[in-house]
Amino acid sequence: MKRHPALIALSREHHTALVLAKRLQRSGEVDPAMLMAQLITVFEHELEPHFRTEESDILPVLQRQGHHALVTQTLEEHRFLRAEIEQIRAGCAQSLVSFGTALAAHVRFEERVMFPAVE
């Protein structure tokens, strides 16, 4: 699907996030401590800035268009992922799979529902 130019960079970041999500969902195959450290770094440098961009640039557009449910869902999913990363920072390796599953679902929601609504 061809994306609006304003969404291309975010859409590319989604691809990277999906690759990460798959790794997390198979986290039993690698050292959990290493994966947790990598995820924390990726979250701080890529995912959190991505979330902030969506929250400051895209969600206000959706809000003005009357897509309140999409805004609410996006914010709730961002909050969940932020809470999960805190669990991972606290050493909870079990949260790797749930983070990966939630991240994959979130990216698919944004690509299939939220971005088309913005476009």
Side-chain angles (χ1 to χ4, degrees):
M1 167 184 281
K2 189 157 175 109
R3 284 276 169 238
H4 185 278
L7 299 174
I8 290 173
L10 290 171
S11 195
R12 284 189 185 129
E13 291 172 2
H14 282 163
H15 173 72
T16 303
L18 282 174
V19 171
L20 173 63
K22 287 293 179 198
R23 282 189 65 221
L24 295 171
Q25 290 171 323
R26 293 184 292 235
S27 61
E29 301 171 11
V30 297
D31 174 30
M34 180 187 71
L35 192 54
M36 289 166 66
Q38 289 174 348
L39 174 58
I40 291 166
T41 299
V42 169
F43 187 86
E44 291 171 355
H45 296 281
E46 296 176 29
L47 295 176
E48 181 61 32
H50 179 98
F51 291 171
R52 285 193 306 259
T53 298
E54 290 174 344
E55 291 167 1
S56 66
D57 298 346
I58 293 175
L59 297 186
V61 172
L62 286 171
Q63 192 73 23
R64 284 192 300 274
Q65 292 174 342
H67 295 289
H68 307 294
L70 296 181
V71 171
T72 299
Q73 181 174 346
T74 303
L75 291 172
E76 286 175 359
E77 291 178 7
H78 286 181
R79 272 192 288 277
F80 178 81
L81 290 164
R82 286 172 173 136
E84 285 294 289
I85 200 69
E86 291 308 315
Q87 291 297 314
I88 291 165
R89 279 191 178 109
C92 182
Q94 291 87 357
S95 291
L96 289 170
V97 173
S98 63
F99 187 97
T101 301
L103 181 61
H106 178 66
V107 168
R108 287 189 175 93
F109 158 73
E110 288 186 349
E111 286 291 326
R112 294 174 182 168
V113 180
M114 187 177 81
F115 282 8
V118 171
E119 291 174 317

